[in-house]
Amino acid sequence: MTKKTTPTSEHNRMPVAVLILTLSTFALGTSEFVIMGLLPEVAHDLYVSIPAAGWIVTAYALGIAIGGPAMALVSARLPRKRALITLMGVFVLGNALCALSSAYGFLIVARVVTAMGQGSFFGIGAVLAASLVPEHRKASAIATMFAGLTLANVAGVPLGTALGNWAGWRMPFWAISAFGIAAFVGLATLLPVRHDEERADFVTEFRALTDLRIWAALGTTVLFTGCAFPLFTYIVPMMENLSGVTPNAVTLNLLSVGIGLTIGNFIGGRLADWNVGRALARIAIAIAIVSVALRWTSSSLIPSEINWFFWGVTTFAAIPASQVNVMRFGKQAPNLVSTLNISAFNIGIALGAWIGGEVLATGYELAGIPVAATAVALLAWFATVTTERLNRRSVRKIQALEI
């Protein structure tokens, strides 16, 4: 006798599918960021300098920024479930190749392979997560998926770094491969097959990119990430040199920030469910306030710790909201547009790290970085307002044509 599917059982199944996507993004995020804690050991083992080892990080970011959209186009005709399973397979293969790498050049190639699987996974996964819930819960579903990324920073990266220091830098990549296999099995068995998906083609995907609102929203994503990573990149030096945090206490302080990131991720999803444009504008102002406050609170331990926590909340509130912001304009090419937003995130990471470095290179001290981050946050606010104006103008044109 076939068991009848009830609305309640259907409702219970969809969150499980979203949680599988969360597990997947945890593995993806850990793979992306754990290398930063392993660079000294990698450089020593492969007989390269620290700056040369830094190119391993750059190669990964480029793999996401360039390879992600390319993989999204290649997989455009596949059902999203099959595309995600395939991309996770590429990701597992890439991490296994990293673990097997015995030469610098081979490791660079392995990281690029891994990144190509990651970039489009985030984009397509966000589209699928949003499709599994009602309209008013789409941003919250995306926030749940992206929680895996924040958990990677809170737990995955510190544990992976500790494992690498104990058992060698290759061991974390074997562990990440194991998480990837678990995610692969979960995706294959628990993701629902959607028969109502529209199959896109290359012409449709590229035609959608003529909408200026998409590019304005992507620029907004770059700026929101760009205002976070001047501080994120130099958070440990600021804690130790300005606030007096001891090296042993840095981990606890980073854990506090990570908790803030996780809370902010879900708050951003709820705000975006309410009104994504207004949410982003208010988040930008909040980021500007908490960032510039670090200019003064960093000289005192307790105020700086409180400030860093709220900085984490506000900056990561922008992540799911930015994803929804782009997706609402790219409904004709959801996979490609969503993946392009992941590329925009990585461009913002590179931009933010460069801004922080330039502040120090031009003679300013660490305390000058919060001021630079504040300036970028205000640019993000301006970009958000501009995007909303473009959207209102576009809506008025469509309404005029319908009349």
Side-chain angles (χ1 to χ4, degrees):
M1 180 177 178
T2 303
K3 184 177 179 179
K4 184 178 179 180
T5 302
T6 65
T8 300
S9 64
E10 183 70 15
H11 175 78
N12 291 334
R13 184 181 68 170
M14 293 195 304
V16 172
V18 174
L19 290 176
I20 290 299
L21 293 172
T22 305
L23 171 64
S24 302
T25 57
F26 173 81
L28 295 167
T30 301
S31 179
E32 178 174 5
F33 296 116
V34 74
I35 190 66
M36 298 176 188
L38 303 174
L39 280 184
E41 188 174 349
V42 171
H44 180 265
D45 187 60
L46 299 182
Y47 303 103
V48 298
S49 65
I50 292 292
W55 281 100
I56 299 171
V57 178
T58 303
Y60 200 91
L62 291 176
I64 293 176
I66 300 173
M71 291 293 286
L73 286 172
V74 170
S75 60
R77 293 181 178 275
L78 293 176
R80 292 189 185 112
K81 176 176 179 176
R82 187 181 303 172
L84 291 175
I85 292 172
T86 302
L87 292 169
M88 183 54 68
V90 172
F91 173 78
V92 171
L93 172 63
N95 278 285
L97 291 175
C98 289
L100 294 169
S101 296
S102 59
Y104 173 71
F106 190 90
L107 180 58
I108 289 284
V109 173
R111 289 292 284 173
V112 171
V113 171
T114 308
M116 291 184 69
Q118 174 171 337
S120 47
F121 187 100
F122 270 102
I124 297 172
V127 175
L128 181 58
S131 73
L132 295 174
V133 295
E135 187 69 30
H136 68 281
R137 293 181 58 208
K138 291 185 181 301
S140 295
I142 293 173
T144 301
M145 173 185 161
F146 274 82
L149 186 59
T150 61
L151 290 173
N153 283 285
V154 173
V157 172
L159 291 175
T161 301
L163 177 61
N165 291 332
W166 174 66
W169 66 266
R170 292 177 177 83
M171 188 57 67
F173 291 106
W174 286 121
I176 293 167
S177 296
F179 270 103
I181 291 172
F184 182 95
V185 173
L187 293 169
T189 56
L190 296 175
L191 278 190
V193 177
R194 301 298 300 264
H195 299 289
D196 56 347
E197 293 178 0
E198 293 184 5
R199 300 291 181 86
D201 56 44
F202 293 130
V203 175
T204 301
E205 296 275 320
F206 279 111
R207 187 183 295 129
L209 299 182
T210 60
D211 191 335
L212 290 178
R213 295 175 299 174
I214 292 176
W215 296 104
L218 289 171
T220 302
T221 296
V222 171
L223 291 171
F224 268 109
T225 316
C227 73
F229 272 80
L231 290 165
F232 216 156
T233 303
Y234 294 96
I235 185 172
V236 173
M238 288 185 67
M239 285 181 173
E240 292 182 345
N241 298 331
L242 298 181
S243 305
V245 178
T246 64
N248 291 334
V250 164
T251 300
L252 289 177
N253 279 264
L254 291 178
L255 177 61
S256 174
V257 174
I259 294 171
L261 300 179
T262 305
I263 294 172
N265 181 68
F266 285 104
I267 290 176
R270 296 296 298 270
L271 289 175
D273 280 333
W274 163 63
N275 186 306
V276 65
R278 292 181 181 177
L280 281 172
R282 295 180 183 185
I283 290 170
I285 296 300
I287 292 173
I289 293 172
V290 296
S291 295
V292 76
L294 284 166
R295 171 68 177 81
W296 293 279
T297 62
S298 291
S299 60
S300 302
L301 181 59
I302 301 301
S304 69
E305 289 175 329
I306 296 172
N307 201 157
W308 277 115
F309 173 80
F310 284 106
W311 174 84
V313 173
T314 56
T315 52
F316 260 63
I319 300 294
S322 296
Q323 188 73 18
V324 174
N325 188 42
V326 172
M327 288 170 58
R328 63 175 170 153
F329 301 131
K331 295 180 180 179
Q332 298 302 314
N335 292 352
L336 176 59
V337 170
S338 185
T339 301
L340 282 172
N341 199 47
I342 303 304
S343 297
F345 278 124
N346 281 271
I347 292 171
I349 290 172
L351 173 65
W354 175 80
I355 289 173
E358 284 298 298
V359 169
L360 299 179
T362 52
Y364 293 95
E365 297 181 349
L366 287 167
I369 295 178
V371 179
T374 300
V376 182
L378 293 175
L379 288 175
W381 172 83
F382 179 78
T384 299
V385 173
T386 301
T387 302
E388 288 306 298
R389 287 177 179 173
L390 284 174
N391 185 40
R392 287 194 294 269
R393 188 181 305 169
S394 178
V395 170
R396 285 196 297 266
K397 286 183 179 178
I398 293 174
Q399 292 174 342
L401 289 174
E402 291 176 348
I403 294 174

